[in-house]
Amino acid sequence: MNGALKNKLILFWLRSVKRLTTPAAMIEFACRRQGDKPLLIEAESGKTTTFAAMRARAGRLAARFRSQLAPGDVLAYVAPNMPEYFEVRAAAHLAGLIFMPLAASLPQETVFYFLDFVKAKGLVYDGELGLPPDRIRQAVGKNAVLDLRGTEYARLVESGPEADGLPVAVAPDDIATYNISSGTTGKIPKVVAISNRAWVSSFYQLMLTAIPAGAGTNRYLCAMPYATAGSTSFLPVLMAGMTVLVVREPFPPATLADAARQYGASRIFLTPSQLYGLLDVCRARNERLPDLAMIVTGTEHASVSLLRECAEWFGPKIVCGYGMVEALPPLTQLPPADYLAPGGTALRETRLRSAGRVVGEIELRTMDEQGRPLPSGTPGRIAVRGDTVCRGYVDNADENAVCFRDGWFLSSDYGRLDDDGFLHVFGRKQDIVGRKADGQPVFASDIEAVFESASCVRRCAAVRPDPDREPVLFIVLRGEAKESEAQAELDGIRAELEPELRPREFLFRTALPATPLGKLDRRTLAEEATRKGGDEGYA
């Protein structure tokens, strides 16, 4: 029996026989099934928590929440990556609450804005973040508030009573979580309401991809904040019986490499920006992390040169994917089988430029700015339909009317599907850095793809800080390349390009900045370009 057919049969058994239609049902199933198997290992201390122990701690937390909150109330969570994330989120699902994770990197004022916006009734937080107690009491009251580092929390999860009647009955279409959208041009991101059905369907879509990971330790290292992209790992690791290696932000590359080596990580999930760092560290140490069977990267564009270098160093283990908060991943996936040429050694670069094929039961197409379907292969805004699509934006009727129509979510991402069904993602509206003569947009990725092929370029990023001027291109050089020699090569490439693809200036950097979420920080680059170009009209 091949892997795809086996996974379809297992999916039918889980969905139709075991009736696992909510995260709470999956938590109960996984913890009973895995029992004393390790679920969590804190990489720094080596402390281990089993599936059974996590469920017991979550049950005690759920008992407290049930005594103070009602089903459908919002429980907020503010902390860096900690093992406690799993028990707090599990407790929220078991108690029928709406779980809202907030990244530890958010400014305090933004945290309190969201607490007020969603009318949070409870809060679990890391006391080391310094949230003022009086502001917390003002925002959510004082009953359902727990400091993860406090003695009350420790006593509760270790010896508190567990409630009867768990999990609380919820419907598949009830809201399970509120999550923050990263796809926004405003200062305050939108709040996305995600149903139980969407979270469960996201796991089932992952099952349908049937990507073989090979034999290994079944240990998983997530280099994303659990409050953001890392949240998508929660149900898959539980249902797959994996052991999670918990590493805290800001995920230094050396720390990731150390944890992967020490604990024998078989899978790692990280952004392309983080992958550059991991590759550099491993090369410097002459270390190839042989236990790694799969390196999953996503949340932003990965250059062909990076993917090629990683395949040469680690082997063809890279899996690229595409998804978003509003339509949970995986929407598309690009496994090695799709980018390796026949024979299994050469790489198909055209495939590497894509985000892969649409997976499972997802429908994906492009639409114009008015939400009208475009012919197959035509560039446009990426639209998604399927059970992983969210319920909409919280208290945002105008955005909902524009973005959610007839079951379709019209995203702010632009791209096209090629003749073989592979999705090519160009970028978001804010990534448009120019226009062609026919009015078609030029994206930062269009310029970057040209210059990434230069022999002197390790990495580059195009930004357009002034809408009336051409974009500039930030360059990180390879190895011992000299700026003067690189300038000549880059000038030669620029001279051969169409005018709309020509950067006005090359700005050299030793590294490109990343956001607290591990993604390329284009806003910081635009600000830097504005400062450096002030005398020439950028300011």
Side-chain angles (χ1 to χ4, degrees):
M1 183 183 299
N2 65 43
L5 177 58
K6 179 181 178 180
N7 281 3
K8 287 181 180 179
L9 292 174
I10 295 173
L11 188 152
F12 175 81
W13 179 68
L14 294 174
R15 180 188 279 168
S16 301
V17 179
K18 303 302 292 184
R19 299 187 182 278
L20 301 187
T21 58
T22 66
M26 285 189 166
I27 292 164
E28 295 288 75
F29 174 84
C31 291
R32 284 196 305 266
R33 188 178 181 87
Q34 302 299 334
D36 291 332
K37 181 178 179 179
L39 167 63
L40 306 166
I41 299 177
E42 193 169 20
E44 185 175 355
S45 67
K47 180 182 176 182
T48 299
T49 304
T50 67
F51 280 79
M54 188 282 287
R55 171 58 182 83
R57 292 164 67 94
R60 297 175 188 124
L61 280 172
R64 169 65 68 87
F65 296 151
R66 284 197 65 186
S67 70
Q68 298 173 330
L69 304 172
D73 283 347
V74 178
L75 175 72
Y77 175 90
V78 190
N81 280 13
M82 300 170 67
E84 288 79 5
Y85 167 87
F86 287 80
E87 63 201 38
V88 176
R89 178 170 175 179
H93 290 313
L94 293 172
L97 305 175
I98 297 174
F99 180 68
M100 183 175 188
L102 296 170
S105 59
L106 289 175
Q108 287 189 8
E109 287 305 313
T110 304
V111 169
F112 286 109
Y113 165 84
F114 283 123
L115 294 179
D116 178 67
F117 181 79
V118 301
K119 300 177 176 59
K121 298 293 181 65
L123 173 66
V124 180
Y125 69 104
D126 178 3
E128 289 192 353
L129 296 178
L131 298 177
D134 57 332
R135 293 288 304 277
I136 293 174
R137 288 192 294 271
Q138 180 182 353
V140 299
K142 62 181 181 179
N143 289 326
V145 175
L146 290 169
D147 178 352
L148 291 167
R149 300 182 186 276
T151 56
E152 182 184 9
Y153 184 90
R155 284 197 303 267
L156 176 61
V157 296
E158 291 168 8
S159 58
E162 182 171 336
D164 295 327
L166 294 178
V168 171
V170 294
D173 288 324
D174 288 345
I175 303 301
T177 66
Y178 284 159
N179 292 73
I180 307 304
S181 170
S182 61
T184 177
T185 56
K187 292 183 178 180
I188 299 295
K190 298 182 281 288
V191 178
V192 182
I194 305 178
S195 68
N196 292 301
R197 185 187 304 277
W199 280 112
V200 169
S201 297
S202 175
F203 166 71
Y204 288 144
Q205 296 301 324
L206 190 62
M207 280 191 62
L208 290 174
T209 61
I211 301 174
T217 60
N218 209 29
R219 290 185 171 180
Y220 173 74
L221 176 57
C222 178
M224 309 271 193
Y226 297 149
T228 59
S231 65
T232 59
S233 302
F234 178 76
L235 288 179
V237 298
L238 287 172
M239 292 296 291
M242 302 190 78
T243 299
V244 180
L245 306 175
V246 181
V247 177
R248 290 187 59 170
E249 297 94 318
F251 313 114
T255 300
L256 296 178
D258 290 342
R261 182 191 66 254
Q262 180 179 353
Y263 295 103
S266 58
R267 303 189 189 202
I268 187 170
F269 177 32
L270 70 177
T271 68
S273 294
Q274 294 169 326
L275 189 51
Y276 277 105
L278 180 67
L279 178 61
D280 287 344
V281 166
C282 290
R283 279 175 165 172
R285 297 176 175 181
N286 194 28
E287 188 170 60
R288 297 180 188 269
L289 303 178
D291 289 319
L292 271 182
M294 185 183 296
I295 302 172
V296 182
T297 189
T299 75
E300 62 179 346
H301 167 71
S303 71
V304 171
S305 60
L306 170 64
L307 298 176
R308 187 192 310 114
E309 290 177 40
C310 287
E312 291 171 354
W313 186 259
F314 296 114
K317 304 172 181 178
I318 310 295
V319 176
C320 298
Y322 174 68
M324 59 193 80
V325 179
E326 293 90 344
L328 295 174
L331 302 178
T332 68
Q333 280 201 336
L334 183 71
D338 282 345
Y339 61 74
L340 288 175
T345 54
L347 305 177
R348 297 193 250 189
E349 294 203 357
T350 302
R351 295 278 177 87
L352 287 176
R353 296 187 187 281
S354 79
R357 287 179 170 144
V358 179
V359 303
E361 301 166 347
I362 295 297
E363 295 179 75
L364 190 148
R365 67 188 311 170
T366 56
M367 295 185 176
D368 64 16
E369 295 295 341
Q370 287 71 46
R372 295 173 297 208
L374 294 170
S376 178
T378 305
R381 288 177 67 176
I382 297 171
V384 184
R385 182 163 67 180
D387 284 344
T388 68
V389 171
C390 73
R391 291 281 301 276
Y393 298 117
V394 177
D395 291 341
N396 199 332
D398 292 341
E399 285 284 343
N400 288 337
V402 170
C403 298
F404 298 90
R405 303 178 185 179
D406 302 321
W408 288 92
F409 169 65
L410 182 63
S411 78
S412 60
D413 291 344
Y414 291 76
R416 71 176 180 87
L417 284 164
D418 65 23
D419 292 339
D420 295 320
F422 287 81
L423 176 67
H424 297 258
V425 181
F426 305 147
R428 292 176 176 153
K429 190 170 185 177
Q430 60 264 40
D431 297 324
I432 295 174
V433 295
R435 295 278 175 181
K436 297 181 180 179
D438 61 2
Q440 290 298 311
V442 174
F443 290 88
S445 60
D446 296 326
I447 297 174
E448 292 159 4
V450 174
F451 287 92
E452 282 165 354
S453 63
S455 62
C456 63
V457 174
R458 175 75 197 290
R459 193 182 182 192
C460 62
V463 296
R464 190 186 188 189
D466 187 334
D468 296 324
R469 303 296 299 273
E470 298 84 357
V472 300
L473 189 69
F474 284 87
I475 300 283
V476 177
L477 296 176
R478 290 185 179 277
E480 302 300 320
K482 301 283 193 275
E483 285 189 17
S484 58
E485 298 171 356
Q487 185 75 48
E489 181 183 3
L490 298 172
D491 285 342
I493 295 173
R494 176 169 55 186
E496 299 295 324
L497 295 177
E498 301 171 8
E500 57 268 17
L501 290 176
R502 296 174 188 169
R504 191 182 71 85
E505 184 179 6
F506 300 113
L507 298 176
F508 296 98
R509 251 178 163 269
T510 57
L512 297 183
T515 69
L517 307 185
K519 299 166 67 171
L520 175 67
D521 191 345
R522 292 185 184 273
R523 180 176 297 179
T524 293
L525 290 177
E527 292 171 352
E528 181 177 334
T530 299
R531 292 194 303 270
K532 289 188 175 183
D535 294 337
E536 301 176 41
Y538 273 119

